[in-house]
Amino acid sequence: MAETDATPLPADDSDIKRMSFEDAIASLERIVTDLERGDVPLDVSIRIYERGEKLKNHCERLLSAAEDKVEKIKLNRAGKPTGTEPLDPG
């Protein structure tokens, strides 16, 4: 397979920080598909694997930030809302 058939790589990875979770996952899925196919040259495989690691880390950061924003509604004994607390404390 020619290098141009694999996932196209930007000159640097600065675009990753601007990606939404969905865009980053889609890019990561394309990389996984390319690597699983096994017909990408070794040097390209290494570069797209490294980009995949950066995409994975970006996704983990976005998920962590989203989890921090999710809260659970606290109810009193009568079932009335009394406030919120972290969904998964500690």
Side-chain angles (χ1 to χ4, degrees):
M1 163 177 279
E3 181 174 330
T4 56
D5 293 341
T7 299
L9 296 175
D12 62 32
D13 293 321
S14 62
D15 64 316
I16 292 175
K17 291 181 181 178
R18 295 186 305 272
M19 285 184 174
S20 68
F21 178 81
E22 293 79 9
D23 289 342
I25 285 290
S27 292
L28 188 54
E29 287 172 346
R30 285 190 298 274
I31 287 172
V32 168
T33 298
D34 288 345
L35 292 173
E36 285 179 341
R37 213 174 36 242
D39 56 358
V40 179
L42 180 59
D43 60 325
V44 176
S45 292
I46 291 168
R47 288 200 321 264
I48 64 175
Y49 176 85
E50 290 169 346
R51 181 169 171 81
E53 278 291 310
K54 292 174 184 173
L55 287 162
K56 179 188 77 77
N57 291 336
H58 178 65
C59 289
E60 287 174 347
R61 280 191 301 276
L62 291 175
L63 279 175
S64 178
E67 288 172 351
D68 290 344
K69 292 178 183 178
V70 174
E71 296 180 332
K72 180 171 66 174
I73 298 172
K74 294 190 310 185
L75 302 175
N76 64 17
R77 291 179 187 239
K80 305 275 185 193
T82 60
T84 60
E85 64 184 22
L87 183 61
D88 186 16

